[in-house]
Amino acid sequence: MRILGIDPGIATIGFGLVEVEGAQTRMLQYGAITTKAGLPLAARLWQIGCDMDELIAQCAPDVISIEELFFNNNITTGIAVAHGRGVILYSAEKNGVPLYEYTPSQVKQAVVGYGKAEKRQVMDMTRRLLKLKSVPKPDDAADALALALCHARSTTSLLQRANLEAKQTI
């Protein structure tokens, strides 16, 4: 299974592609989509949509794993990120790729084993789990790989399998 992790944003959108075969997970590609500061919001959103369509075509993921939106102290930044995230959701749906959403705590739990882990711990465990020489840069790409790992670990859990089987029988 090919999982494309996406760390949503408006200026920088991190992505990380992993492949899962049995108990083995390996990193295939990571990076970031960027938009120019100063462009009107609509132009940035259009660029994100075009770049996401191209990324999905290039990576051919089976699923996309994306971070659920949460607001910290800066609601203005959160609203801009929400716009970008909406375009990403639209692109996944348009391209027929199933989408799974995870909270930051779920990602931390899946990758580190502790839902309140620090960012540096998540980044280091992502590096270790994927057997990388260094933490991926930019940070948004490392976050995207952690999101992909979160989904990989969630889909292999017995609870997730039971939930999927229950849904299929309905």
Side-chain angles (χ1 to χ4, degrees), residues 95-156:
N95 287 284
V97 183
L99 190 84
Y100 295 86
E101 302 174 71
Y102 297 96
T103 65
S105 294
Q106 288 173 313
V107 175
K108 292 173 182 180
Q109 180 68 40
V111 175
V112 178
Y114 177 58
K116 295 186 180 186
E118 294 178 21
K119 185 175 181 85
R120 66 174 179 73
Q121 292 173 302
V122 177
M123 294 175 125
D124 188 55
M125 279 304 294
T126 298
R127 177 190 63 79
R128 290 172 184 233
L129 291 168
L130 293 173
K131 298 176 179 78
L132 305 174
K133 291 181 181 179
S134 60
V135 173
K137 295 290 179 191
D139 289 355
D140 305 273
D143 292 344
L145 284 168
L147 279 151
L149 280 172
C150 176
H151 184 72
R153 293 179 149 219
S154 296
T155 58
T156 58

Side-chain angles (χ1 to χ4, degrees), residues 61-77:
D62 296 304
V63 299
I64 292 175
S65 174
I66 190 169
E67 187 174 66
E68 280 189 10
L69 189 60
F70 70 100
F71 289 93
N72 261 346
N73 297 332
N74 191 342
I75 195 159
T76 304
T77 301

Side-chain angles (χ1 to χ4, degrees), residues 6-19:
I6 299 289
D7 183 36
I10 194 73
T12 306
I13 298 92
F15 68 87
L17 182 66
V18 301
E19 186 170 64

Side-chain angles (χ1 to χ4, degrees), residues 154-155 157-170:
S154 296
T155 58
S157 78
L158 294 176
L159 179 60
Q160 179 71 15
R161 284 187 197 159
N163 286 341
L164 286 173
E165 289 169 5
K167 288 179 183 177
Q168 290 173 349
T169 59
I170 294 177

